[in-house]
Amino acid sequence: MGLLVVKFGGSSVATIEKIKSIADKVAAMQAEGNQVVVVVSAMGDTTDELIGLAGATGDQAWHREMDMLLATGEQQSAALLAMTLNNRGTPAVSLTGWQAGIHSDDTHSKARIVSIANGRILQELKQGNVVVIAGFQGLSPQGDITTLGRGGSDTTAVALAASLSADRCIIFTDVDGVYTADPRIVPDAHKMSMVSYEEMLEMASLGAVVMQPRAVECAMHSQVEVEVRHSFKNDAGTLITEVDKMEKQRVVSGVAHDTNVARIAIFDVPDRPGVASLLFNKLAQQGINVDMVIQSAMRENRNDIAFTIEKADLNKAIPVVEEVVRELGASGLSYDADVAKVSIVGAGMQSHPGVAAKMFEALAEEGINIHMISTSEIRISCLIDEDLINKAVRALHAKYDLGNGNGGCC
Ligand code: ASP
Ligand code: MG
């Protein structure tokens, strides 16, 4: 018995049949004596369809109006689930984000939740209702509707679990949990029973998007344990928790990969203070995120600088970089969209020497050339040719022996 916050993703509420099946699940949770708050995403591809409609109105992006539009997707599924629950005899009420007291900042399309006034939710729970809340939305200080970024219903669920001091937060989705690698690429990839916040955050930002990275961040800061599990199976999923609660610290927990990467290099940049700041400030002004960066050894007071960005930003970045090349008197630039990033993640790697060497060895054994390397305390990433990415993921998964469920030892 307790207070549960459960979230169902878009594919889990894509049809009325699926909504009925979820309603049974939610009703069973309540029948077991729990108070249940349900957060829903928009049905199936509704959000993409709404974005398509907005695009057809003209060229300009009207961020305020876009949020007004996109927020309707989650309201449909919330209302339909509440109706279904009531029709099967389980009292339920649906609330929009603002009715649920979710206040955000005013960054339209990427708003952050700043506070939750949860009085209405508590009142509805007290009256015996299942409370179904439209995910992905909030209200700005100006009183305008905001949305929380793609996949933002995860963040709604985690923030509500924190605010309500829920006993459990479960993200129901269309995958079984968090795997040691993408099972479509590595047949013996293994579902982890537990993963630490830090590892999950790295994996979520590295392409293994089981949960919105910001939701993982939010869970980590508020110490909310989150279980990720399949909506239509009864198997246990993966628990995202504090590293200290894990049975054992794995040196390497998983292999993540990301093919949404492009590389740009600038040659013969003068070696003086302010050069990197000029380049990266200009990219930031255009809203372009830079990921890996390397600056080569100096020769005759000139350096080469190479960095990676998202593939979708390449066309926007090239003119910016061309301008910087002219301004600095650099000799030229090159770019390459056929690259991909492969990463190993593990909370235990900080205390084990030799993890990186083993990664480079595994890639070398496959004849895979490394273009760039970047690291954090619990992650090592290599940029390689895109057509070799599956081979690299498989080789690393095998090298760290991740298929046996033990987690890689060094
Ligand atoms: N419906 C929104 C999206 O597709 C939010 C979510 O699914 O969490 O991104
Ligand atoms: Mg969605």
Side-chain angles (χ1 to χ4, degrees):
M1 267 186 32
L3 199 162
L4 313 182
V5 174
V6 297
K7 180 249 167 180
F8 291 93
S11 56
S12 312
V13 292
T15 62
I16 295 295
E17 280 60 46
K18 288 187 171 172
I19 290 179
K20 283 185 175 163
S21 151
I22 277 163
D24 290 344
K25 213 174 177 109
V26 170
M29 290 174 192
Q30 202 203 34
E32 281 164 22
N34 298 300
Q35 293 185 307
V36 191
V37 173
V38 187
V39 175
V40 284
S41 290
M43 295 171 79
D45 296 328
T46 303
T47 307
D48 291 320
E49 286 159 16
L50 292 172
I51 292 171
L53 285 177
T57 66
D59 289 340
Q60 204 167 328
W62 302 96
H63 296 294
R64 180 190 178 280
E65 305 312 324
M66 191 65 153
D67 280 356
M68 179 84 172
L69 177 69
L70 295 191
T72 63
E74 271 67 13
Q75 291 174 48
Q76 293 175 10
S77 43
L80 289 168
L81 177 58
M83 285 178 200
T84 311
L85 283 162
N86 283 310
N87 277 328
R88 70 182 304 297
T90 305
V93 62
S94 66
L95 300 177
T96 61
W98 41 102
Q99 286 175 315
I102 299 176
H103 296 281
S104 75
D105 62 19
D106 59 3
T107 322
H108 283 290
S109 86
K110 274 189 207 134
R112 280 179 179 268
I113 296 176
V114 289
S115 65
I116 301 182
N118 60 24
R120 175 77 189 270
I121 303 175
L122 291 173
Q123 184 194 325
E124 297 291 349
L125 286 172
K126 210 165 157 194
Q127 285 171 12
N129 283 318
V130 168
V131 186
V132 185
I133 296 173
F136 177 56
Q137 51 184 252
L139 199 65
S140 76
Q142 294 81 12
D144 286 325
I145 297 174
T146 56
T147 63
L148 309 178
R150 295 309 303 268
S153 304
D154 289 342
T155 303
T156 305
V158 172
L160 281 169
S163 162
L164 296 165
S165 302
D167 296 289
R168 282 175 80 193
C169 178
I170 310 175
I171 305 283
F172 285 101
T173 178
D174 52 3
V175 295
D176 298 348
V178 184
Y179 277 76
T180 49
D182 186 337
R184 287 167 301 187
I185 296 177
V186 184
D188 68 341
H190 173 85
K191 183 171 73 187
M192 293 183 248
S193 57
M194 283 185 172
V195 65
S196 71
Y197 294 121
E198 291 81 1
E199 290 170 323
M200 188 63 205
L201 190 57
E202 291 280 8
M203 288 192 222
S205 347
L206 289 168
V209 197
V210 177
M211 243 177 106
Q212 196 199 34
R214 196 181 287 170
V216 184
E217 224 171 69
C218 180
M220 183 161 85
H221 289 311
S222 15
Q223 300 282 296
V224 171
E225 283 192 342
V226 181
E227 193 191 345
V228 177
R229 59 190 296 171
H230 200 287
S231 301
F232 302 110
K233 294 183 190 168
N234 282 323
D235 311 345
T238 300
L239 188 71
I240 307 168
T241 184
E242 267 174 78
V243 73
D244 296 344
K245 293 210 180 138
M246 316 241 319
E247 339 75 279
K248 66 177 184 286
Q249 267 198 22
R250 295 169 297 223
V251 176
V252 173
S253 285
V255 182
H257 70 283
D258 189 358
T259 52
N260 181 23
V261 184
R263 174 179 54 156
I264 301 184
I266 311 184
F267 307 115
D268 299 314
V269 177
D271 187 38
R272 59 162 194 258
V275 165
S277 125
L278 174 82
L279 169 64
F280 295 118
N281 269 322
K282 289 210 164 173
L283 291 164
Q285 278 159 15
Q286 297 299 315
I288 299 168
N289 270 327
V290 172
D291 179 23
M292 303 166 109
V293 181
I294 52 169
Q295 178 172 310
S296 73
M298 186 188 81
R299 50 175 197 284
E300 292 163 10
N301 294 324
R302 300 248 156 192
N303 294 316
D304 296 339
I305 298 178
F307 56 93
T308 63
I309 56 174
E310 280 183 26
K311 248 182 205 145
D313 285 337
L314 187 59
N315 288 339
K316 200 157 67 165
I318 292 168
V320 178
V321 179
E322 278 171 348
E323 192 188 311
V324 173
V325 165
R326 276 193 301 275
E327 226 167 286
L328 294 175
S331 70
L333 80 153
S334 76
Y335 53 87
D336 186 356
D338 298 324
V339 287
K341 186 166 73 166
V342 64
S343 310
I344 53 168
V345 175
M349 73 170 65
Q350 23 192 346
S351 48
H352 279 76
V355 182
K358 195 163 168 176
M359 177 177 195
F360 305 148
E361 188 181 287
L363 296 174
E365 281 162 3
E366 297 293 325
I368 298 171
N369 191 27
I370 302 169
H371 303 306
M372 287 168 111
I373 300 166
S374 75
T375 63
S376 79
E377 280 178 349
I378 62 161
R379 167 187 60 84
I380 306 166
S381 301
C382 295
L383 192 77
I384 61 171
D385 287 343
E386 185 173 3
D387 55 354
L388 299 175
I389 193 71
N390 290 1
K391 199 172 170 187
V393 172
R394 281 186 213 114
L396 291 168
H397 198 266
K399 190 78 172 178
Y400 293 99
D401 202 16
L402 297 178
N404 64 13
N406 290 329
C409 58
C410 195

